[in-house]
């Protein structure tokens, strides 16, 4: 199983080169039967002007991990995956360290998928909770 996990994580991290995910230093770190986890450093690159994590950066992390999870669990060779709706509730601020986003499937339909994404700090404190709806479109 570890070899399979390592392969999935390598693919997820490799496709992020020269993208927003690379700019934000998002790294995929764990995958399981129905979840994918990514982390992002919290520093001045992702701060809002008053020095705390910008909600937009948090949403970018959430959408990145949810979309990647759709790609992994829906066979990205057969489908294009696109986010079609994201919502977020930010419940706690953080100014330094790392945040972790865990995407867990709520609904896995043939066309649309619904993801629950919890963003936490290193101690497991909830920073944001996000929902992402993705659509899987057949590749031509």
């Amino acid at each position: 199983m570890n070899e399979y996990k390592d392969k999935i994580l390598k693919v997820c991290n490799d496709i992020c080169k020269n993208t927003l995910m690379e700019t934000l230093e998002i790294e995929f770190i764990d995958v399981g039967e129905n979840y994918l986890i990514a982390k992002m450093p919290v520093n001045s690159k992702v701060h809002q002007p008053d020095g705390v994590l910008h909600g937009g950066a948090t949403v970018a992390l959430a959408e990145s991990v949810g979309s990647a999870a759709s790609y992994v669990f829906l066979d990205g060779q057969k489908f294009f995956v696109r986010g079609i709706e994201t919502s977020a509730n930010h419940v706690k601020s953080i100014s330094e360290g790392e945040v972790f986003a865990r995407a867990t499937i709520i609904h896995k339909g043939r066309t649309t998928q619904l993801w629950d994404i919890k963003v936490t700090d290193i101690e497991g404190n909830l920073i944001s909770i996000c929902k992402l709806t993705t659509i899987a479109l057949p590749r031509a």
Side-chain angles (χ1 to χ4, degrees), residues 63-89:
E63 185 159 349
S64 297
V65 72
S67 293
S70 283
Y71 177 84
V72 167
F73 295 115
L74 294 172
D75 189 355
Q77 303 300 321
K78 294 181 182 176
F79 299 97
F80 288 105
V81 174
R82 299 290 182 260
I84 56 175
E85 183 178 13
T86 307
S87 66
N89 293 97

Side-chain angles (χ1 to χ4, degrees), residues 44-108:
S44 61
K45 286 172 48 172
V46 295
H47 282 169
Q48 59 187 31
D50 68 349
V52 298
L53 178 61
H54 192 291
T58 306
V59 171
L61 170 63
E63 185 159 349
S64 297
V65 72
S67 293
S70 283
Y71 177 84
V72 167
F73 295 115
L74 294 172
D75 189 355
Q77 303 300 321
K78 294 181 182 176
F79 299 97
F80 288 105
V81 174
R82 299 290 182 260
I84 56 175
E85 183 178 13
T86 307
S87 66
N89 293 97
H90 308 298
V91 297
K92 185 175 178 159
S93 296
I94 182 171
S95 58
E96 61 183 15
E98 294 178 316
V99 286
F100 301 84
R102 179 185 177 112
T104 306
I105 191 80
I106 296 171
H107 168 73
K108 183 180 176 183

